[in-house]
Amino acid sequence: MNRTVAKDIYLGVVPIICRNGGLSFGGPGETLDWVVLMRRFNRANEFDRLAERGELDITLVEALADTVASMHQSATIASEFGGAARVRATIEQIAEAIMASPSAVSLNETVAEWVALTEQSLSSCAVKLDVRRRHGYVRRCHGDLHLGNICLIKGRPMPFDALEFNEEMASTDII
């Protein structure tokens, strides 16, 4: 999954082997688990760290936009996900997560207002979201794209650490 975008980082998958009571990577023996083999990179070049140092300039941001746009254009269509129903489920999930917090007791009214406003906004664009889903604009994307999961490799932005365990969470409208 990650090699499609970050082939300079992701090298392969290697088994963790139990042999003669010890553990090793690869070779004969019982496979206990698998690990991702990655090339080391300079963590100072992660975009969250560049931003903290004030080094995330317009040139890098535009290059990142081009990278993400290209990534989205070639991403697999995932029309079984997305649309208004998915947005509605996300709204509910966020509201429930906030209200599950012990410190959220005083937020009941605020969260209820937020849910009402987001539902109202969703109602005005639900048909468009569903049409976009049917027409292939929901794609299997990164799923966890934030500045901490982007690094500068060979002078260009490279997303890494894509979400691999949940297709629905990683699928989104490329708008």
Side-chain angles (χ1 to χ4, degrees):
M1 168 75 45
N2 281 293
R3 283 187 79 182
T4 60
V5 177
K7 61 182 175 278
D8 291 334
I9 297 175
Y10 290 87
L11 304 176
V13 179
V14 179
I16 298 175
I17 302 296
C18 180
R19 185 176 44 240
N20 301 327
L23 299 178
S24 63
F25 293 110
E30 178 190 358
T31 299
L32 299 178
D33 207 345
W34 295 85
V35 294
V36 176
L37 181 63
M38 298 174 67
R39 179 173 284 116
R40 290 187 187 274
F41 60 88
N42 185 347
R43 303 238 11 235
N45 289 336
E46 291 173 358
F47 273 42
D48 58 342
R49 295 175 186 208
L50 294 174
E52 287 172 4
R53 294 192 309 266
E55 297 173 11
L56 193 54
D57 61 20
I58 190 67
T59 303
L60 284 177
V61 171
E62 287 175 344
L64 174 59
D66 291 341
T67 298
V68 171
S70 176
M71 206 170 73
H72 285 178
Q73 287 303 312
S74 63
T76 304
I77 293 172
S79 56
E80 67 272 29
F81 303 118
R86 179 65 188 131
V87 174
R88 187 168 285 108
T90 301
I91 292 166
E92 291 169 6
Q93 181 184 17
I94 292 169
E96 288 171 9
I98 292 170
M99 295 314 298
S101 169
S103 60
V105 175
S106 64
L107 298 176
N108 281 344
E109 189 176 313
T110 305
V111 172
E113 286 177 29
W114 176 79
V115 168
L117 287 171
T118 55
E119 284 288 342
Q120 180 182 357
S121 181
L122 175 59
S123 294
S124 71
C125 62
V127 171
K128 289 179 185 175
L129 290 171
D130 289 338
V131 167
R132 289 183 59 78
R133 180 185 54 77
R134 285 193 308 273
H135 287 265
Y137 291 103
V138 174
R139 309 273 174 93
R140 188 357 172 142
C141 296
H142 187 283
D144 194 24
L145 192 59
H146 56 81
L147 294 181
N149 282 347
I150 305 163
C151 60
L152 197 58
I153 302 286
K154 297 180 182 175
R156 62 184 178 88
M158 185 171 295
F160 66 97
D161 201 20
L163 196 128
E164 296 178 349
F165 60 86
N166 188 310
E167 294 298 308
E168 185 173 17
M169 286 176 64
S171 300
T172 190
D173 191 313
I174 60 171
I175 196 167

